[in-house]
């Protein structure tokens, strides 16, 4: 479930504002006596402990519950020393909602409310029903609002996931339709050119064989016509190969195509191209697969990463060619792409698998993303 970032930060800021306000109130009312100093020390420890959770939230994983328990214990100790810090329970209640189950949250909400009530009764000069009813009312309203936000967020995420699945299914359907249409087109082209040319060659050679002894002149004429047909069919086959190549590989080498690609595919990011090793011939479909992977990776850099720079490295190794695309963008927490990325990465893997290659994706929040493709190197090694 995607969380509301703005709400999280609002609660974090609110927590520290309540800490500062409570500390100022404590000092203004009691001065820097021993108990006040002790409370301020515990307050500083609590601030640091809470900050650890903010900074390392993505890496804590299941350790978030341990972190929450430590923060709650430190806060309880602080409330015992200075009850005015009890209102920090509101942002803590929000953290509990993020991490605990419904039953666990209900227990935590009741416990925090009772602590706030006890703290307010301790510092009150007179017992007033508002000291009990106000914390209960605030806790109830806060819990209901947070719960409703969570419910809306969950419903919205389900809708987004459904749209992503639908888009992926539609893309797969369009891809299959495009493949079938291309196969039909190629079948027609082959039938109208290569197949008919080969049939004509076969008939001419058969005729030449029948009259080779009786009429050598005509036989040799048939052979010459068959040779001319073979040359025409060879030209047609070459045309097919050219038509099947991506536009970026027409009349240019793969390194040249990749160098040009960075000038148009990465948007605001500055793209550097590096060539390592001595280039050697590759199958046309292998070159096409590497070019398409580079196009997809740079499109992700342009659309999703917010990167300032990206580096495309093509390495010709002994028996293997690698393509690496690294950007210094935002990255993501897990090797599961954010919405909009999933089909592109899957298409890259499928395309590489067709030529015996593999794709690896590595990323971390704030550390950019690296996309690495490996394919067999020389012609005939697949």
């Amino acid at each position: 479930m995607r969380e509301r970032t703005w709400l999280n930060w609002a609660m974090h800021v609110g927590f520290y504002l309540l800490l500062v306000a409570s500390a100022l109130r404590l000092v203004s009312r009691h001065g820097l006596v021993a108990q006040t100093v002790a409370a301020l020390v515990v307050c500083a420890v609590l601030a640091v402990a809470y900050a650890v959770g903010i900074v390392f939230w993505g890496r804590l994983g299941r350790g978030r519950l341990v972190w929450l328990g430590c923060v709650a214990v430190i806060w309880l100790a602080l409330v015992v020393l200075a009850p005015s810090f009890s209102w920090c329970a509101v942002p803590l209640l929000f953290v509990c909602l993020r991490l605990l189950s419904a039953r666990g949250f209900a227990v935590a909400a009741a416990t925090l409310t009772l602590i706030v009530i006890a703290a307010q009764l301790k510092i009150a000069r007179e017992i007033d029903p508002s000291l009990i009813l106000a914390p209960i009312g605030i806790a109830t309203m806060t819990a209901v609002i947070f719960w409703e936000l969570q419910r809306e967020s969950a419903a919205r995420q389900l809708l987004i996931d459904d749209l992503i699945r639908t888009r992926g299914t539609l893309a797969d359907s369009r891809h299959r339709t495009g493949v079938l249409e291309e196969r039909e087109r190629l079948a027609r082209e082959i039938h109208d050119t290569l197949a008919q040319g080969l049939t004509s060659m076969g008939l001419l050679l058969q005729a030449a064989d029948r009259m080779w002894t009786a009429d050598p002149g005509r036989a040799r004429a048939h052979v010459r016509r068959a040779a001319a047909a073979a040359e025409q069919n060879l030209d047609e086959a070459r045309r097919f190969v050219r038509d099947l190549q991506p536009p970026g590989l027409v009349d240019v080498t793969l390194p040249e195509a990749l160098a040009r690609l960075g000038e148009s595919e990465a948007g605001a990011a500055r793209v550097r191209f590096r060539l390592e090793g001595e280039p050697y011939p590759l199958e046309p479909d292998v070159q096409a697969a590497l070019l398409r992977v580079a196009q997809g990776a740079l499109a992700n850099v342009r659309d999703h990463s917010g990167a300032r720079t990206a580096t495309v490295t093509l390495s010709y190794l002994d028996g293997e060619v690698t393509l690496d695309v690294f950007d210094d963008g935002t990255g993501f927490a897990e090797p599961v792409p954010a919405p909009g990325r999933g089909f592109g990465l899957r298409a890259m893997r499928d395309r590489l698998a067709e030529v015996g290659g593999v794709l690896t994706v590595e990323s971390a929040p704030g550390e950019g993303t690296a996309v690495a493709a490996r394919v067999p190197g020389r012609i005939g090694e697949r």
Side-chain angles (χ1 to χ4, degrees):
M1 182 187 304
R2 184 169 297 125
E3 301 182 53
R4 298 172 180 262
T5 304
W6 63 267
L7 182 58
N8 296 339
W9 281 107
M11 289 298 109
H12 297 330
V13 172
F15 178 81
Y16 282 104
L17 287 177
L18 288 172
L19 276 184
V20 172
S22 300
L24 293 176
R25 178 184 179 185
L26 179 66
V27 173
S28 64
R29 289 199 173 188
H30 301 284
L32 293 175
V33 297
Q35 186 171 355
T36 299
V37 173
L40 292 178
V41 171
V42 177
C43 177
V45 173
L46 177 60
V48 172
Y50 193 88
V52 168
I54 297 176
V55 174
F56 297 102
W57 184 267
R59 300 182 183 181
L60 287 175
R62 294 182 178 179
R64 294 171 186 170
L65 291 176
V66 177
W67 167 79
L68 176 60
C70 293
V71 168
V73 170
I74 298 172
W75 170 76
L76 181 59
L78 182 59
V79 172
V80 172
L81 289 171
S84 58
F85 286 91
S86 60
W87 287 111
C88 293
V90 175
L92 289 180
L93 187 66
F94 173 72
V95 177
C96 291
L97 180 61
R98 294 175 68 188
L99 297 180
L100 301 179
S101 63
R103 181 177 300 177
F105 172 74
V107 174
T111 303
L112 291 175
T113 304
L114 291 175
I115 293 174
V116 172
I117 292 173
Q120 296 305 305
L121 291 175
K122 182 178 179 180
I123 61 177
R125 295 180 180 178
E126 296 182 1
I127 302 300
D128 190 313
S130 64
L131 298 176
I132 299 175
L133 297 178
I136 295 176
I138 293 175
T140 301
M141 289 187 296
T142 303
V144 169
I145 292 173
F146 288 164
W147 221 322
E148 181 63 19
L149 288 174
Q150 290 286 76
R151 189 191 65 80
E152 289 184 3
S153 179
R156 185 177 294 109
Q157 189 60 42
L158 288 175
L159 178 60
I160 292 173
D161 292 341
D162 184 59
L163 289 175
I164 292 173
R165 285 192 298 269
T166 302
R167 184 175 63 181
T169 302
L170 180 60
D172 288 339
S173 176
R174 288 177 176 175
H175 176 70
R176 288 193 295 270
T177 300
V179 169
L180 292 176
E181 291 177 351
E182 182 65 9
R183 286 177 178 175
E184 291 179 2
R185 185 188 71 82
L186 289 176
R188 290 193 299 269
E189 290 283 344
I190 292 172
H191 175 270
D192 294 341
T193 56
L194 297 181
Q196 291 185 359
L198 291 172
T199 301
S200 176
M201 289 166 54
L203 293 175
L204 288 170
L205 291 174
Q206 289 175 8
D209 181 61
R210 286 195 300 269
M211 60 183 62
W212 191 261
T213 302
D215 193 346
R218 289 185 63 188
R220 280 193 284 273
H222 288 325
V223 171
R224 287 194 293 271
R225 289 175 62 189
E231 185 176 355
Q232 292 177 356
N233 276 262
L234 181 59
D235 290 338
E236 288 292 339
R238 288 170 176 166
R239 182 179 66 82
F240 285 151
V241 172
R242 287 195 301 270
D243 290 345
L244 291 174
Q245 284 186 320
L249 287 174
V250 176
D251 299 327
V252 296
T253 64
L254 177 60
E256 291 172 340
L258 292 174
R260 294 179 183 180
L261 184 63
E263 300 175 1
S264 59
E265 284 291 341
R270 184 168 62 91
V271 180
R272 295 175 296 183
F273 173 71
R274 295 168 49 195
L275 176 63
E276 297 182 355
E278 186 67 26
Y280 48 74
L282 296 173
E283 296 280 4
D285 54 349
V286 173
Q287 297 185 61
L290 291 175
L291 181 62
R292 294 306 190 200
V293 168
Q295 288 174 328
L298 289 178
N300 283 341
V301 172
R302 178 193 63 212
D303 297 337
H304 305 291
S305 73
R308 291 174 296 179
T309 61
T311 302
V312 179
T313 304
L314 179 65
S315 303
Y316 286 85
L317 308 175
D318 187 13
E320 182 178 74
V321 176
T322 64
L323 174 71
D324 301 288
V325 181
F326 173 76
D327 68 76
D328 60 359
T330 55
F332 45 91
E334 301 176 1
V336 177
R341 289 187 176 186
F343 180 73
L345 291 175
R346 189 169 71 243
M348 291 182 204
R349 289 193 173 93
D350 293 344
R351 186 180 294 275
L352 288 172
E354 291 175 357
V355 297
V358 294
L359 182 75
T360 304
V361 180
E362 295 182 357
S363 184
E367 298 182 9
T369 301
V371 177
R374 302 199 318 272
V375 296
R378 300 181 185 275
I379 291 178
E381 291 190 3
R382 279 187 285 157

